Amino acid sequence: MFKKILSLLVLSSVFIGSPVLSDENSSVVTLSMPEAVLREAVAQSLPFAIDTSSQSIDGKVFVKKIENLQLNDRSLSALLVLAGKDVSIATKIGGHQLRLNVGDVEIECNMSALVRYEQKSSTLFVKPAVSDYSASGNGQGNELGTLLVSLLNGREFPVKIEKLQPLVTDLGDRQLAVDLTIQDIIVSENMMRFNFEPSIKSIAGQKK
């Protein structure tokens, strides 16, 4: 999912003129994306599935909507709408482990999250905190909501960032390939900043 968003951001910088900045004394290229552009990129990536990685929940759980996305210092906040389809949860009744069928459910909640990027592993880590949720559905939404909150809160979710394809320009008898390696991803107030380390290579073209 994040690769899709990042590709949209890079394309946006080309086609709508978002600022790409580089310090004259540094080889790092910085792509700064306003909050509004990121909102649009996220909206176009929805819905996406959530891997709960838990034996407590069966079924499909996904993010249906992300609204009021706001960027702050190394964090973000948003209103989430989570949807579950054919969901069942593990519960205990009278000392016996049972699986309770919930069915279809929607949960609306407020979410804030800390965001950090680890260059060594090319991984973006998101640590959410969910609060103020309400559920609708087939009668067991509140129980599922409580379980989801306990699964999400305090966990750091890794998002592996795949390597971007090189930007290739045809120069007639040769091609110029620009590799962009992500050095850092920084969230700040109203802005997300991508720091790239470029590597430029000339490739001999094929004779016609």
Side-chain angles (χ1 to χ4, degrees), residues 50-59 61 148 151-152 155 157:
I50 296 177
D51 181 8
T52 58
S53 299
S54 172
Q55 295 181 348
S56 301
I57 300 178
D58 278 336
V61 179
L148 277 178
L151 288 172
L152 296 176
R155 284 181 62 189
F157 290 85

Side-chain angles (χ1 to χ4, degrees), residues 102-199:
V102 177
D104 297 345
V105 65
E106 280 195 3
I107 298 171
E108 185 176 289
C109 59
N110 291 319
M111 185 273 295
S112 59
L114 299 176
V115 182
R116 68 180 181 90
Y117 180 71
E118 184 180 89
Q119 182 185 12
K120 185 177 180 180
S121 61
S122 300
T123 303
L124 187 73
F125 291 95
V126 181
K127 188 176 182 180
V130 178
S131 62
D132 300 329
Y133 67 89
S134 61
S136 62
N138 294 342
Q140 300 294 333
N142 286 329
E143 188 171 352
L144 177 59
T146 301
L147 185 56
L148 277 178
V149 167
S150 67
L151 288 172
L152 296 176
N153 279 347
R155 284 181 62 189
E156 203 169 41
F157 290 85
V159 181
K160 185 69 176 178
I161 308 301
E162 298 179 38
K163 184 176 176 60
L164 294 174
Q165 292 296 319
L167 303 176
V168 179
T169 301
D170 195 343
L171 300 177
D173 60 344
R174 66 187 188 281
Q175 291 180 325
L176 197 65
V178 181
D179 251 330
L180 294 173
T181 301
I182 300 177
Q183 187 183 74
D184 203 359
I185 300 174
I186 301 170
V187 177
S188 57
E189 188 171 357
N190 303 322
M191 191 76 63
M192 179 173 276
R193 191 166 72 247
F194 299 84
N195 290 342
F196 295 97
E197 185 74 34
S199 174

Side-chain angles (χ1 to χ4, degrees), residues 24-72:
E24 61 181 8
N25 298 316
S26 171
S27 61
V28 175
V29 176
T30 299
L31 170 62
S32 296
M33 278 296 157
E35 193 174 74
V37 176
L38 183 60
R39 284 177 183 166
E40 179 64 23
V42 169
Q44 293 192 32
S45 299
L46 295 172
F48 59 84
I50 296 177
D51 181 8
T52 58
S53 299
S54 172
Q55 295 181 348
S56 301
I57 300 178
D58 278 336
K60 297 179 181 178
V61 179
F62 55 94
V63 178
K64 184 177 180 180
K65 291 182 182 178
I66 298 178
E67 299 178 343
N68 196 28
L69 177 64
Q70 296 181 347
L71 303 180
N72 302 294

Side-chain angles (χ1 to χ4, degrees), residues 80-101:
L80 299 185
V81 177
L82 307 178
K85 185 173 179 60
D86 300 325
V87 175
S88 64
I89 59 178
T91 186
K92 275 189 176 182
I93 299 178
H96 298 283
Q97 190 78 25
L98 300 175
R99 187 156 291 277
L100 181 65
N101 289 323

